[in-house]
């Protein structure tokens, strides 16, 4: 067979095998550029029928309905909007008008307050689904970046002292600088993630590790750890745990417990059984072979530790995006969690304390994480004994603590 005929056959075979696919690839960009309409007729009626333009002005006339809609008072919303307005404002173009900062904030608050899907919000506000997604992610990022220092600043020594005074006044636990716990936030399973996000509660999650004060505010948070990790491991690997081990949290110097003539006791964080005991972190005595002294210590520690449980309860009841799985990738889910933490502190500061929220979440059920935490250090054991002795002494005992532990047996 002549060589030129071989070449013709070779090119014919290549065309039959790959030519059709190449033609489709060449046509695909042209096909993507085709749009039936610049804006959907339903979305074009946003200014006439969209939820923001129809009921928002009516909500401003009813403070109760406004609080229910935005999860904060009108005064708090105005303060929030004034703080974020420069970062949520964009220029109008010849093609379209930009979304106002006020509408962007309302859309984001409704998403966080209800947990509705972007498709559902699309039909409510008559905004594109991708537009709503961009608004929510951008606004959450702005809330975290520009309000964090105002509502959750890095604690200094005087801040720790103020927190300790609050715990002693409300929970009668001296030298306590916070209650620590982790909350599993349900998320959609990320692709190719295996079992990293699958937790012991049998669903996929990321972990919100938080230290709370006696006013149910978050002092320090660590967000985004895999749901499969234990609380102790997450805390140990977090920046908060590392700074605590290296004495970089600016904690006050140890001081004597109130009314006690004993040696100075260090300031401590209270946590549950899922954390490892250390000189600055107290956990309960193991639940086997408990005498009255150990039971009293566990009772007193639980009274202080409940504040972080209640803070989580208030957070999830106000921002109901936590009531179901967050249908976003882990990075965007982290933005949502960060924004809710900041808004939680913001409303606790700017709105009057809601006793209904607190009472509703005071009796939360605690599920102990039975993960292995390692053997406690000798220093941590000794400090726990100091507090246990103090709670049974004349200076540190509460009149009702014996009745409380007898009722729990």
């Amino acid at each position: 067979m002549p060589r030129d005929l071989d070449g013709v056959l070779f090119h014919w075979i290549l065309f039959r095998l790959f030519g059709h696919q190449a033609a489709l690839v060449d046509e695909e960009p042209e096909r993507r550029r085709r749009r039936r309409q610049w804006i959907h007729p339903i979305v074009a009626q946003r200014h006439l029928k969209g939820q923001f333009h129809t009921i928002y002005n009516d909500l401003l006339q009813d403070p109760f309905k406004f609080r229910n809609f935005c999860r904060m008072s009108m005064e708090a919303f105005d303060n929030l909007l004034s703080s974020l307005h420069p970062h949520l404002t964009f220029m109008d173009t010849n093609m379209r008008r930009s979304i106002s900062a006020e509408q962007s904030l309302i859309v984001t608050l409704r998403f966080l307050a209800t947990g509705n899907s972007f498709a559902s919000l699309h039909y409510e506000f008559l905004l594109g689904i991708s537009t709503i997604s961009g608004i929510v992610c951008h606004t959450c990022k702005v809330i975290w970046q520009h309000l964090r220092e105002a509502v959750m600043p890095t604690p200094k020594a005087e801040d720790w002292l103020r927190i300790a005074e609050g715990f002693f006044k409300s929970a009668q636990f001296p030298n306590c600088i916070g209650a620590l716990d982790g909350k599993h936030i349900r998320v959609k399973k990320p692709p190719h993630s295996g079992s990293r996000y699958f937790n012991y509660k049998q669903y996929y999650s990321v972990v919100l590790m938080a230290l709370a004060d006696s006013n149910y505010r978050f002092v320090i948070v660590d967000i985004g750890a895999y749901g499969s990790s234990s609380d102790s491991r997450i805390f140990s690997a977090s920046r908060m745990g590392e700074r605590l081990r290296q004495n970089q949290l600016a904690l006050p110097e140890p001081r004597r417990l109130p009314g006690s003539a004993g040696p100075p006791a260090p300031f401590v964080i209270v946590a549950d059984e899922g954390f490892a005991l250390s000189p600055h972190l107290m956990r309960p005595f193991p639940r086997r072979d408990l005498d009255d002294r150990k039971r009293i210590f566990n009772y007193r520690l639980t009274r202080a530790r409940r504040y972080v449980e209640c803070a989580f309860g208030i957070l999830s009841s106000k921002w109901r995006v936590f009531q179901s799985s967050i249908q976003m990738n882990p990075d965007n889910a982290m933005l949502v969690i960060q924004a809710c933490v900041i808004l939680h502190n913001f409303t606790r500061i700017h709105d009057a304390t809601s006793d209904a929220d607190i009472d509703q979440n005071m009796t939360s059920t605690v599920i102990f994480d039975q993960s292995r935490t390692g053997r406690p250090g000798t220093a941590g054991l000794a400090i726990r004994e100091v507090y246990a002795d103090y709670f049974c002494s004349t200076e540190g005992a509460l009149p009702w603590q014996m009745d409380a532990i007898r009722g729990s047996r």
Side-chain angles (χ1 to χ4, degrees), residues 103-155:
Q103 186 173 2
S104 295
L105 187 55
I106 287 291
V107 169
T108 303
L109 291 178
R110 284 305 291 170
F111 170 73
L112 300 179
T114 63
N116 289 347
S117 65
F118 293 151
S120 177
L121 295 175
H122 158 68
Y123 291 106
E124 295 175 11
F125 291 94
L126 299 185
L127 292 166
I129 295 177
S130 61
T131 302
I132 292 177
S133 175
I135 287 173
V136 170
C137 293
H138 175 72
T139 306
C140 288
K141 185 176 181 179
V142 167
I143 289 173
W144 173 260
Q145 290 179 343
H146 297 280
L147 290 181
R148 181 181 179 183
E149 287 301 320
V151 303
M152 197 174 61
T154 302

Side-chain angles (χ1 to χ4, degrees), residues 66-340:
F66 187 93
R67 179 187 287 270
N68 182 268
F69 188 82
C70 295
R71 295 296 193 268
M72 62 181 66
S73 66
M74 287 189 287
E75 294 78 9
F77 178 82
D78 290 339
N79 289 333
L80 181 63
L81 181 62
S82 63
S83 300
L84 303 179
H85 192 278
H87 312 287
L88 298 178
T89 303
F90 299 92
M91 294 180 60
D92 294 333
T93 66
N94 294 330
M95 304 299 293
R96 64 180 67 184
R97 295 169 56 186
S98 64
I99 306 298
S100 67
E102 198 169 15
Q103 186 173 2
S104 295
L105 187 55
I106 287 291
V107 169
T108 303
L109 291 178
R110 284 305 291 170
F111 170 73
L112 300 179
T114 63
N116 289 347
S117 65
F118 293 151
S120 177
L121 295 175
H122 158 68
Y123 291 106
E124 295 175 11
F125 291 94
L126 299 185
L127 292 166
I129 295 177
S130 61
T131 302
I132 292 177
S133 175
I135 287 173
V136 170
C137 293
H138 175 72
T139 306
C140 288
K141 185 176 181 179
V142 167
I143 289 173
W144 173 260
Q145 290 179 343
H146 297 280
L147 290 181
R148 181 181 179 183
E149 287 301 320
V151 303
M152 197 174 61
T154 302
K156 301 178 182 178
E158 54 269 23
D159 298 319
W160 293 124
L161 290 173
R162 175 182 53 79
I163 293 172
E165 293 300 325
F167 271 103
F168 184 66
K169 181 179 179 180
S170 58
Q172 293 77 51
F173 199 109
N175 288 14
C176 177
I177 57 172
L180 179 69
D181 203 2
K183 177 177 177 60
H184 288 271
I185 308 296
R186 192 186 298 262
V187 296
K188 178 180 67 174
K189 180 184 183 298
H192 313 297
S193 61
S195 61
R196 286 177 294 179
Y197 291 89
F198 195 71
N199 63 33
Y200 71 98
K201 298 181 180 181
Q202 307 301 306
Y203 60 82
Y204 296 94
S205 66
V206 295
V207 178
L208 164 62
M209 183 69 61
L211 183 72
D213 64 13
S214 60
N215 292 318
Y216 310 100
R217 300 176 192 167
F218 298 117
V219 181
I220 304 176
V221 296
D222 182 84
I223 304 170
Y226 296 139
S228 60
S229 302
S230 66
D231 285 346
S232 179
R233 182 179 301 176
I234 294 171
F235 178 72
S236 179
S238 69
R239 187 165 180 265
M240 173 172 40
E242 182 180 355
R243 294 179 63 193
L244 182 65
R245 288 193 303 272
Q246 297 178 359
N247 295 321
Q248 296 178 351
L249 285 180
L251 298 183
E253 293 295 325
R255 66 180 182 183
R256 287 190 176 90
L257 301 179
S260 172
F267 287 82
V268 296
I269 295 170
V270 293
D272 62 19
E273 295 174 342
F275 294 86
L277 186 68
S278 72
H280 290 289
L281 196 151
M282 295 290 101
R283 54 168 281 175
F285 285 102
R287 286 177 286 180
R288 60 182 183 277
D289 301 328
L290 290 177
D291 54 21
D292 285 347
R293 175 174 163 277
K294 293 181 179 180
R295 289 181 182 274
I296 289 173
F297 175 85
N298 288 359
Y299 167 71
R300 298 288 292 271
L301 182 140
T302 302
R303 294 185 76 249
R305 187 178 56 81
R306 65 179 178 173
Y307 285 92
V308 67
E309 296 285 344
C310 295
F312 286 147
I314 297 170
L315 176 75
S316 59
S317 64
K318 181 182 288 289
W319 308 110
R320 297 190 178 181
V321 68
F322 297 129
Q323 299 288 340
S324 59
S325 177
I326 301 177
Q327 299 298 307
M328 306 172 78
N329 63 56
D331 291 337
N332 289 337
M334 187 180 302
L335 292 177
V336 168
I337 300 169
Q338 290 173 339
C340 288

